[in-house]
Every structure is written in C-alpha cells, then in structure tokens.
C-alpha cells in the first residue's frame, strides 16, 4: 500500500465512522485512570519545559484534545478526516482543529512544546513510521516532548466493518522496544514506557495490552 492509498482509506473510513465513534468513545478516558496518568505526566513535562503549543496529531473527535486542554495545555488538533474534525469542532467549540497528515505536517520547524499521537500511528504502515517520527522531530522545539499511545503486539488487525459501515482500516500492533528504536533513529530519545494489560471487564474491552511511550527531542537539537 502506498502512502496515498493509506491516507485515502484511513480518511474515508473515519469519515464513515465519525458520528458513531464520537458517541461510543466519548467517555472512554473516564474509565482508564492509567491512561489519564500518562496524559497528566506528559502535560506536566511540557509545562516544566517552558510550555508552548501542543499538537494532538490524529485527534479524531477531539476527546483527548479536550482533556489536555482541561489540564492546562495550549493544545490544538490535527486529523485526516473531515468527518472526525466536524465532531471535534462540535464538541469542543473553543479549540482549534485542522485537517492534515502526520506524514507532512503544515507546521514550522521547532514550533511545538509537545506532540501527542494517541492511537493514531497505529494506522501508519511500517515503512512510513520513520517518516512520521521524522516530522514529529522536525516540528518539536529542542527539549519538546512526545507521547505515543498504541496497541502492543506484533500482528496487524484488518477491519472491513465498523458500527455497521463498510471500512478498510489496518490496526498495526507494535512492540514498544521496536517503536523505541524507530524513535531513536528519528532523534527522539525515549524517556518513559508504560505497558498495561488489556482491560476485559470495563465498558471498553480491549484485545491486546496497551503501550505508552514518552520521548524527548534533545535540548541541544
């Protein structure tokens, strides 16, 4: 699959899912205290480093963007899907949301104090992941922090249906150690890792462990 194919299918799939997705996952963070803890730590690291804008790349319906805003971050969202962005703007009218791709961010070099990719790199093909991480490095200011959330594992899940709608989405589960290698190659130094076991008993059951990585661009970069 070429990068243009991946972008097209991901955009079209999330456009189809947007309304149902917004309803289903609106309160998901409330059920996941460890996930919230990682977001809080990330927000505090960005603030301690001098603040600056935070981009939520692959923001979807803006639910995590809104959570970071409530934590005091100067945050805005970027997403491929106009449908998801429409939901984000409707539910978070005071925040800024822009259409864009993590493979070519329309942001100046060194302009961000922090960057969040919360379950958005899971759709990026393996050969394009270094491109995305290279963009993350480019737009982060020296000393800026990155937080990734993703599903831990080795296999790829392909879905052709969601909420009764036709889609074409690949969910790439990755080993945290491998993701750390790609981060280092991009000039982003891993600083913290959390892997929690899958939650099977909540309203948002999971099939795999969940991984979270915090990395930092060198202050001397």
């Amino acid at each position: 699959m070429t990068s243009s194919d991946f972008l097209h299918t991901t955009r079209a799939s999330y456009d189809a899912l947007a309304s149902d997705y917004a309803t289903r996952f609106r309160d998901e963070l409330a059920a996941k205290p460890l996930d919230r803890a990682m977001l809080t730590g990330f927000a505090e690291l960005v603030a301690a480093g001098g603040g600056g804008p935070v981009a939520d790349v692959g923001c979807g319906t803006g639910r995590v963007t809104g959570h970071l805003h409530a934590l005091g971050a100067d945050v805005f969202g970027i997403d491929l899907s106009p449908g998801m962005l429409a939901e984000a703007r409707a539910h978070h009218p005071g925040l800024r949301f822009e259409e864009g791709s993590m493979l070519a961010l329309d942001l100046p070099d060194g302009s961000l104090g922090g960057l969040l990719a919360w379950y958005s790199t899971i759709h990026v093909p393996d050969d394009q992941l270094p491109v995305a991480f290279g963009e993350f490095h480019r737009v982060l200011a020296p000393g800026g922090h990155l937080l990734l959330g993703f599903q831990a594992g080795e296999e790829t899940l392909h879905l052709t249906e969601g909420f009764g709608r036709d889609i074409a989405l690949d969910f790439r589960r990755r080993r945290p150690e491998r993701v750390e290698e790609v981060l280092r190659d991009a000039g982003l130094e891993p600083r913290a890792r959390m892997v929690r076991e899958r939650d099977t008993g909540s309203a948002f059951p999971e099939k795999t462990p969940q991984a979270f990585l915090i990395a930092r661009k060198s202050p001397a970069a």
Side-chain angles (χ1 to χ4, degrees):
M1 179 182 291
T2 68
S3 62
S4 60
D5 290 337
F6 136 70
L7 294 172
H8 173 76
T9 57
T10 302
R11 178 185 295 112
S13 295
Y14 276 109
D15 279 348
L17 296 174
S19 178
D20 292 316
Y21 187 100
T23 300
R24 173 70 179 97
F25 293 104
R26 180 181 53 205
D27 299 321
E28 184 187 30
L29 272 180
K32 297 185 174 180
L34 293 177
D35 300 22
R36 297 198 308 273
M38 290 300 290
L39 290 164
T40 298
F42 167 69
E44 291 183 2
L45 285 168
V46 172
V54 174
D56 180 2
V57 178
C59 65
T61 60
R63 59 195 179 84
V64 185
T65 323
H67 185 78
L68 283 178
H69 175 70
L71 293 173
D74 176 17
V75 63
F76 65 100
I78 299 171
D79 201 86
L80 272 178
S81 164
M84 297 293 266
L85 289 169
E87 294 291 337
R89 291 169 182 141
H91 290 95
H92 306 278
L95 298 181
R96 176 164 59 100
F97 296 96
E98 302 175 353
E99 186 175 341
S101 164
M102 69 175 67
L103 302 182
L105 292 166
D106 187 16
L107 295 170
D109 294 359
S111 58
L112 299 179
L115 190 149
L116 173 69
W118 193 255
Y119 293 88
S120 52
T121 61
I122 61 175
H123 302 302
V124 177
D126 289 342
D127 64 344
Q128 295 293 310
L129 194 62
V131 177
F133 287 176
E135 277 292 271
F136 294 173
H137 180 274
R138 179 184 69 79
V139 299
L140 279 169
H145 285 84
L146 163 71
L147 172 58
L148 300 176
F150 56 99
Q151 295 146 343
E154 308 223 6
E155 71 282 4
T156 296
L157 172 67
H158 180 71
L159 291 184
T160 58
E161 185 274 336
F163 299 110
R165 302 176 188 276
D166 292 334
I167 60 172
L169 282 176
D170 287 325
F171 296 77
R172 292 174 174 84
R173 296 155 177 171
R174 296 183 168 110
R175 292 183 295 108
E177 308 84 55
R178 174 58 186 144
V179 176
E180 288 178 346
E181 290 176 6
V182 185
L183 285 170
R184 288 192 180 96
D185 289 344
L188 295 162
E189 185 61 28
R191 305 284 292 173
R193 180 202 304 179
M194 181 181 75
V195 179
R196 64 166 177 78
E197 293 305 314
R198 63 195 182 106
D199 185 353
T200 59
S202 76
F204 304 95
E206 299 160 339
K207 295 182 179 180
T208 64
Q210 309 296 303
F212 307 88
L213 294 175
I214 291 177
R216 183 176 68 171
K217 180 174 178 176
S218 170

